[in-house]
Amino acid sequence: MEKDVIITIRGLQFIQNDDEMEPVEVVTPGEYYKKNGQHYLLFEESVEGFGETTHNVMKFRDNHLEVRKKGLVNVHMVFEENKKTLSYYQTPFGTMNMGIAATNIQLREQKDNIDVRVDYALNLNESYVADCTIVMNVKSRDGGNFSLES
């Protein structure tokens, strides 16, 4: 995998007592490297209406994903299969206590393409919010197969 990559992240939330999904998708350029058996992604994220950006670092391996955001939004989220983790999600609108209970983490690595899928339950301020899925695809800017599986 090359250093310069295109990152596609799609999130789905299955809201309690509602069969509708709320999809969110981000496609952004980023940097990739692998060190000591772990994959790293670095990219910037902007939110419409705000001048400040958020710097993102994602670290992942089999059964484990960490997301660190610093800037407009600040959080350190840990997704570890069959474990519940807690973190504080700081936004311009206030801070929330976030609980994440990952039930499934899949990683598929190819030469110029990586697919990651994470299924988890989300709690905010100690209340269940939704069952969620993150589907991420990382591909070399100059090649690789584009694949998003849901």
Side-chain angles (χ1 to χ4, degrees), residues 45-47 50-55 70-74 90-92:
E45 183 178 9
S46 300
V47 176
F50 291 91
E52 188 178 358
T53 60
T54 300
H55 178 71
K70 290 187 180 184
L72 180 65
V73 172
N74 294 288
Q90 298 173 327
T91 74

PDB file of all heavy atoms in Angstrom, residues 45-47 50-55 70-74 90-92:
ATOM      1  N   GLU A  45     -10.429  16.571   8.694  1.00  0.00           N
ATOM      2  CA  GLU A  45     -11.883  16.570   8.523  1.00  0.00           C
ATOM      3  C   GLU A  45     -12.399  17.985   8.781  1.00  0.00           C
ATOM      4  O   GLU A  45     -12.014  18.621   9.755  1.00  0.00           O
ATOM      5  CB  GLU A  45     -12.480  15.588   9.524  1.00  0.00           C
ATOM      6  CG  GLU A  45     -13.951  15.389   9.452  1.00  0.00           C
ATOM      7  CD  GLU A  45     -14.415  14.347  10.467  1.00  0.00           C
ATOM      8  OE1 GLU A  45     -13.633  13.914  11.328  1.00  0.00           O
ATOM      9  OE2 GLU A  45     -15.598  13.996  10.395  1.00  0.00           O
ATOM     10  N   SER A  46     -13.250  18.479   7.886  1.00  0.00           N
ATOM     11  CA  SER A  46     -13.864  19.798   8.043  1.00  0.00           C
ATOM     12  C   SER A  46     -15.353  19.637   8.277  1.00  0.00           C
ATOM     13  O   SER A  46     -15.967  18.700   7.783  1.00  0.00           O
ATOM     14  CB  SER A  46     -13.665  20.632   6.778  1.00  0.00           C
ATOM     15  OG  SER A  46     -12.302  20.810   6.521  1.00  0.00           O
ATOM     16  N   VAL A  47     -15.919  20.582   9.019  1.00  0.00           N
ATOM     17  CA  VAL A  47     -17.355  20.603   9.254  1.00  0.00           C
ATOM     18  C   VAL A  47     -17.880  21.922   8.706  1.00  0.00           C
ATOM     19  O   VAL A  47     -17.347  22.990   9.032  1.00  0.00           O
ATOM     20  CB  VAL A  47     -17.683  20.475  10.759  1.00  0.00           C
ATOM     21  CG1 VAL A  47     -19.183  20.599  10.996  1.00  0.00           C
ATOM     22  CG2 VAL A  47     -17.168  19.157  11.304  1.00  0.00           C
ATOM     23  N   PHE A  50     -17.816  25.808  10.172  1.00  0.00           N
ATOM     24  CA  PHE A  50     -16.768  26.011  11.164  1.00  0.00           C
ATOM     25  C   PHE A  50     -15.432  26.160  10.438  1.00  0.00           C
ATOM     26  O   PHE A  50     -15.140  25.442   9.496  1.00  0.00           O
ATOM     27  CB  PHE A  50     -16.675  24.823  12.127  1.00  0.00           C
ATOM     28  CG  PHE A  50     -17.855  24.706  13.043  1.00  0.00           C
ATOM     29  CD1 PHE A  50     -18.957  23.935  12.681  1.00  0.00           C
ATOM     30  CD2 PHE A  50     -17.883  25.369  14.253  1.00  0.00           C
ATOM     31  CE1 PHE A  50     -20.055  23.823  13.516  1.00  0.00           C
ATOM     32  CE2 PHE A  50     -18.974  25.271  15.100  1.00  0.00           C
ATOM     33  CZ  PHE A  50     -20.067  24.501  14.731  1.00  0.00           C
ATOM     34  N   GLY A  51     -14.601  27.084  10.892  1.00  0.00           N
ATOM     35  CA  GLY A  51     -13.296  27.303  10.277  1.00  0.00           C
ATOM     36  C   GLY A  51     -12.248  26.310  10.721  1.00  0.00           C
ATOM     37  O   GLY A  51     -11.311  26.007  10.003  1.00  0.00           O
ATOM     38  N   GLU A  52     -12.398  25.775  11.934  1.00  0.00           N
ATOM     39  CA  GLU A  52     -11.411  24.849  12.477  1.00  0.00           C
ATOM     40  C   GLU A  52     -11.632  23.440  11.930  1.00  0.00           C
ATOM     41  O   GLU A  52     -12.760  22.995  11.757  1.00  0.00           O
ATOM     42  CB  GLU A  52     -11.525  24.833  14.006  1.00  0.00           C
ATOM     43  CG  GLU A  52     -10.422  24.056  14.689  1.00  0.00           C
ATOM     44  CD  GLU A  52     -10.523  24.102  16.208  1.00  0.00           C
ATOM     45  OE1 GLU A  52     -11.425  24.769  16.746  1.00  0.00           O
ATOM     46  OE2 GLU A  52      -9.698  23.449  16.865  1.00  0.00           O
ATOM     47  N   THR A  53     -10.541  22.735  11.664  1.00  0.00           N
ATOM     48  CA  THR A  53     -10.634  21.357  11.191  1.00  0.00           C
ATOM     49  C   THR A  53     -10.339  20.408  12.345  1.00  0.00           C
ATOM     50  O   THR A  53      -9.919  20.820  13.422  1.00  0.00           O
ATOM     51  CB  THR A  53      -9.633  21.081  10.043  1.00  0.00           C
ATOM     52  OG1 THR A  53      -8.312  21.306  10.527  1.00  0.00           O
ATOM     53  CG2 THR A  53      -9.905  21.961   8.849  1.00  0.00           C
ATOM     54  N   THR A  54     -10.546  19.130  12.092  1.00  0.00           N
ATOM     55  CA  THR A  54     -10.242  18.078  13.064  1.00  0.00           C
ATOM     56  C   THR A  54      -9.200  17.163  12.450  1.00  0.00           C
ATOM     57  O   THR A  54      -9.373  16.673  11.326  1.00  0.00           O
ATOM     58  CB  THR A  54     -11.506  17.289  13.432  1.00  0.00           C
ATOM     59  OG1 THR A  54     -12.465  18.191  13.995  1.00  0.00           O
ATOM     60  CG2 THR A  54     -11.211  16.184  14.421  1.00  0.00           C
ATOM     61  N   HIS A  55      -8.114  16.919  13.171  1.00  0.00           N
ATOM     62  CA  HIS A  55      -7.062  16.000  12.744  1.00  0.00           C
ATOM     63  C   HIS A  55      -7.436  14.603  13.243  1.00  0.00           C
ATOM     64  O   HIS A  55      -7.718  14.420  14.433  1.00  0.00           O
ATOM     65  CB  HIS A  55      -5.712  16.431  13.310  1.00  0.00           C
ATOM     66  CG  HIS A  55      -4.592  15.523  12.955  1.00  0.00           C
ATOM     67  ND1 HIS A  55      -4.079  15.448  11.677  1.00  0.00           N
ATOM     68  CD2 HIS A  55      -3.899  14.631  13.695  1.00  0.00           C
ATOM     69  CE1 HIS A  55      -3.106  14.548  11.657  1.00  0.00           C
ATOM     70  NE2 HIS A  55      -2.981  14.039  12.872  1.00  0.00           N
ATOM     71  N   LYS A  70      -8.701  15.338  17.070  1.00  0.00           N
ATOM     72  CA  LYS A  70      -8.246  16.518  17.807  1.00  0.00           C
ATOM     73  C   LYS A  70      -8.504  17.746  16.948  1.00  0.00           C
ATOM     74  O   LYS A  70      -8.186  17.763  15.764  1.00  0.00           O
ATOM     75  CB  LYS A  70      -6.750  16.422  18.125  1.00  0.00           C
ATOM     76  CG  LYS A  70      -6.432  15.371  19.150  1.00  0.00           C
ATOM     77  CD  LYS A  70      -4.998  15.402  19.579  1.00  0.00           C
ATOM     78  CE  LYS A  70      -4.762  14.312  20.613  1.00  0.00           C
ATOM     79  NZ  LYS A  70      -3.435  14.326  21.146  1.00  0.00           N
ATOM     80  N   GLY A  71      -9.083  18.765  17.568  1.00  0.00           N
ATOM     81  CA  GLY A  71      -9.383  20.003  16.860  1.00  0.00           C
ATOM     82  C   GLY A  71     -10.763  20.486  17.227  1.00  0.00           C
ATOM     83  O   GLY A  71     -11.080  20.637  18.409  1.00  0.00           O
ATOM     84  N   LEU A  72     -11.610  20.693  16.215  1.00  0.00           N
ATOM     85  CA  LEU A  72     -12.989  21.109  16.456  1.00  0.00           C
ATOM     86  C   LEU A  72     -13.714  20.092  17.333  1.00  0.00           C
ATOM     87  O   LEU A  72     -14.476  20.431  18.224  1.00  0.00           O
ATOM     88  CB  LEU A  72     -13.726  21.295  15.123  1.00  0.00           C
ATOM     89  CG  LEU A  72     -15.174  21.739  15.216  1.00  0.00           C
ATOM     90  CD1 LEU A  72     -15.281  23.139  15.816  1.00  0.00           C
ATOM     91  CD2 LEU A  72     -15.837  21.701  13.848  1.00  0.00           C
ATOM     92  N   VAL A  73     -13.458  18.807  17.062  1.00  0.00           N
ATOM     93  CA  VAL A  73     -14.004  17.693  17.841  1.00  0.00           C
ATOM     94  C   VAL A  73     -12.827  16.965  18.479  1.00  0.00           C
ATOM     95  O   VAL A  73     -11.796  16.761  17.837  1.00  0.00           O
ATOM     96  CB  VAL A  73     -14.803  16.728  16.929  1.00  0.00           C
ATOM     97  CG1 VAL A  73     -15.206  15.480  17.662  1.00  0.00           C
ATOM     98  CG2 VAL A  73     -16.000  17.429  16.323  1.00  0.00           C
ATOM     99  N   ASN A  74     -12.990  16.576  19.748  1.00  0.00           N
ATOM    100  CA  ASN A  74     -11.936  15.852  20.456  1.00  0.00           C
ATOM    101  C   ASN A  74     -12.510  14.579  21.066  1.00  0.00           C
ATOM    102  O   ASN A  74     -13.499  14.637  21.801  1.00  0.00           O
ATOM    103  CB  ASN A  74     -11.342  16.714  21.572  1.00  0.00           C
ATOM    104  CG  ASN A  74     -10.614  17.912  21.022  1.00  0.00           C
ATOM    105  OD1 ASN A  74      -9.536  17.774  20.456  1.00  0.00           O
ATOM    106  ND2 ASN A  74     -11.197  19.081  21.166  1.00  0.00           N
ATOM    107  N   GLN A  90     -16.007  15.508  22.863  1.00  0.00           N
ATOM    108  CA  GLN A  90     -16.086  16.957  23.020  1.00  0.00           C
ATOM    109  C   GLN A  90     -16.381  17.605  21.672  1.00  0.00           C
ATOM    110  O   GLN A  90     -15.631  17.406  20.716  1.00  0.00           O
ATOM    111  CB  GLN A  90     -14.784  17.511  23.582  1.00  0.00           C
ATOM    112  CG  GLN A  90     -14.458  16.969  24.951  1.00  0.00           C
ATOM    113  CD  GLN A  90     -13.088  17.388  25.435  1.00  0.00           C
ATOM    114  OE1 GLN A  90     -12.173  17.545  24.649  1.00  0.00           O
ATOM    115  NE2 GLN A  90     -12.959  17.564  26.730  1.00  0.00           N
ATOM    116  N   THR A  91     -17.471  18.366  21.610  1.00  0.00           N
ATOM    117  CA  THR A  91     -17.878  19.068  20.391  1.00  0.00           C
ATOM    118  C   THR A  91     -18.032  20.552  20.730  1.00  0.00           C
ATOM    119  O   THR A  91     -18.035  20.929  21.903  1.00  0.00           O
ATOM    120  CB  THR A  91     -19.227  18.534  19.869  1.00  0.00           C
ATOM    121  OG1 THR A  91     -20.276  19.016  20.716  1.00  0.00           O
ATOM    122  CG2 THR A  91     -19.257  17.016  19.809  1.00  0.00           C
ATOM    123  N   PRO A  92     -18.200  21.403  19.718  1.00  0.00           N
ATOM    124  CA  PRO A  92     -18.445  22.825  19.995  1.00  0.00           C
ATOM    125  C   PRO A  92     -19.748  23.055  20.776  1.00  0.00           C
ATOM    126  O   PRO A  92     -19.956  24.112  21.354  1.00  0.00           O
ATOM    127  CB  PRO A  92     -18.546  23.452  18.612  1.00  0.00           C
ATOM    128  CG  PRO A  92     -17.870  22.509  17.694  1.00  0.00           C
ATOM    129  CD  PRO A  92     -18.038  21.147  18.289  1.00  0.00           C
TER     130      PRO A  92
END
